[in-house]
Amino acid sequence: MGMKSIRVGRLAGIPIGVQPLWIVIVALITWSLGAVYYPDLVDGIGPLAAYGLGLLSALLLFASILLHELGHAVVARRNGVEIEEIDLWLLGGVARMAGYPKTAAAELRFAIAGPAVTLLIAAIFAAIAAALPSSSPAALRALVDYQAFVNLAILVFNLLPAFPLDGGRVARALIWGRIGDVERATAIAASIGRGFGFGMIALGIAGTLLGAVGGIWLALIGLFVIAAAKAEERGLHVRVAFTGREAGRLMSSPAITIPADLNVAAAVENYFVRYRHTAFPVTGDDGLVGLVNLEAVGRVPAARRAETPVGQIAIDDPALVIDQHQDVAELLERPAFQRVGRAVVSAPGRELGIVSITDVNQVMRALDLASAA
Ligand SMILES: [Zn+2]
């Protein structure tokens, strides 16, 4: 999802983000529960209590989804994959990985961890519902029933074998384990996902024509599932193509570097405008200082650019300095590289090189042409 999420805090050291649309969803759930669900089930409930319970239910749902994603995150970590961020959006959450599971068994454990947490939450609420004495307040009963139901619904929906849903990952891991070829397994899982996507669109359109309110949503989800299947296939294709390819073979060298004491205004004129790259290595007396890109330049107020040395705004991130033997597939997974789009290849006593996302895309096009021939 391209939309920028809002950071709301950290859990177990993992940043938690919320897509702006999620807040709309919480409001919609609060509204529908407060206007219909609670008044239907609780005799004589006032609007304030009904909407209050609606909001509480929506927030409990939010917490359930967060726990589901934490389940994924904890298992990913145990398998050596870091989680960059947990993002809550329209359909639930996404634990964004920096890297990927290396074996079918690890992928299966990762994929199943979230649904396992959701199953546990649904079971706990169902057990509470069963244990509640008949004399307990109707509002409490309705609250517990809703959590049991909604977690069960999340579980069933998530297990549909369609990327980016967990069921798509489970399907891929199972096929991968059986045939031993992750790229073919992904292609098969993606085509199953596409089938589900088209099915959702057809059902959604039919539903809309018949007057069902949710039809348009189902069709949109179907479109999203088809796009996600494509992205999953593409991502893996690139990863496979660059595994075992070293940065030294891809880099442009010698890199055009900016001296650290040059001011930002001069750097814009003499480097960014002249060479039209989006980032340059910055070097001082002791060698590499960091990388400077257009975003870093943009953050310096125009009036201060003539007096600010480039060295002062260079990004000094060890993730962006690699040696020539660096595996490019692994580089592509680095969040810093995805953000900046360039990394410096540095070797003692040799001139600096640079690997850019543009180089990677060009190589990818050449490899695709070669394999299509
Ligand atoms: Zn999940």
Side-chain angles (χ1 to χ4, degrees):
M1 298 233 69
M3 206 183 292
K4 194 126 179 62
S5 62
I6 305 157
R7 286 279 171 87
V8 291
R10 276 169 178 276
L11 256 175
I14 301 163
I16 309 295
V18 173
Q19 296 265 326
L21 269 177
W22 217 89
I23 294 160
V24 178
I25 298 296
V26 169
L28 274 175
I29 294 171
T30 303
W31 173 73
S32 72
L33 292 177
V36 183
Y37 179 77
Y38 282 107
D40 269 4
L41 289 176
V42 186
D43 280 339
I45 193 172
L48 192 65
Y51 283 103
L53 284 170
L55 179 62
L56 179 64
S57 303
L59 292 178
L60 279 173
L61 169 59
F62 176 96
S64 298
I65 291 171
L66 208 52
L67 286 174
H68 171 114
E69 296 306 326
L70 272 178
H72 286 303
V74 167
V75 171
R77 257 191 194 168
R78 242 184 245 155
N79 286 282
V81 178
E82 265 311 300
I83 296 294
E84 198 194 328
E85 185 183 43
I86 288 178
D87 215 5
L88 297 172
W89 55 289
L90 215 54
L91 293 181
V94 172
R96 262 212 289 275
M97 291 182 277
Y100 51 93
K102 300 284 188 292
T103 63
E107 163 104 319
L108 186 60
R109 281 195 295 273
F110 168 79
I112 214 80
V117 171
T118 299
L119 177 64
L120 185 68
I121 297 172
I124 289 172
F125 278 106
I128 295 174
L132 278 179
S134 52
S135 59
S136 55
L140 179 62
R141 187 168 286 280
L143 182 90
V144 171
D145 282 350
Y146 177 75
Q147 290 305 320
F149 164 77
V150 84
N151 274 289
L152 199 64
I154 290 173
L155 179 70
V156 170
F157 180 69
N158 259 295
L159 287 178
L160 289 180
F163 292 120
L165 304 173
D166 295 328
R169 260 164 228 296
V170 170
R172 195 243 305 263
L174 291 175
I175 301 167
W176 179 8
R178 173 161 290 199
I179 67 176
D181 177 343
V182 63
E183 213 176 351
R184 260 192 64 210
T186 304
I188 297 169
S191 58
I192 298 172
R194 259 193 297 278
F196 268 89
F198 283 119
M200 287 176 190
I201 292 174
L203 258 168
I205 290 173
T208 307
L209 292 178
L210 295 171
V213 187
I216 195 76
W217 282 109
L218 192 62
L220 282 175
I221 292 169
L223 273 179
F224 182 73
V225 161
I226 291 169
K230 180 107 195 119
E232 193 69 37
E233 249 179 328
R234 182 73 196 159
L236 185 80
H237 181 56
V238 171
R239 192 194 300 158
V240 168
F242 284 97
T243 299
R245 279 181 202 275
E246 295 190 350
R249 299 285 308 276
L250 240 80
M251 67 178 184
S252 317
S253 175
I256 299 159
T257 61
I258 306 182
D261 53 8
L262 190 73
N263 69 65
V264 173
V268 169
E269 270 310 311
N270 301 342
Y271 291 87
F272 286 95
V273 172
R274 180 163 170 210
Y275 297 104
R276 293 178 295 277
H277 295 164
T278 53
F280 294 88
V282 176
T283 53
D285 294 337
D286 304 321
L288 185 67
V289 173
L291 263 170
V292 66
N293 62 358
L294 283 170
E295 281 73 43
V297 167
R299 278 193 291 271
V300 183
R304 302 249 305 276
R305 286 182 192 157
E307 70 212 36
T308 307
V310 169
Q312 203 178 306
I313 62 164
I315 306 159
D316 175 23
D317 186 337
L320 296 176
V321 182
I322 56 180
D323 71 31
Q324 70 240 55
H325 302 302
Q326 167 68 46
D327 185 86
V328 175
E330 197 272 329
L331 175 67
L332 289 171
E333 303 288 338
R334 292 186 187 177
F337 185 73
Q338 290 168 4
R339 221 167 28 245
V340 177
R342 272 161 188 257
V344 184
V345 183
S346 170
R350 296 185 57 175
E351 289 194 274
L352 296 175
I354 197 147
V355 173
S356 74
I357 204 89
T358 324
D359 298 333
V360 169
N361 288 336
Q362 253 155 26
V363 170
M364 195 66 236
R365 266 200 295 277
L367 290 174
D368 280 344
L369 271 177
S371 67

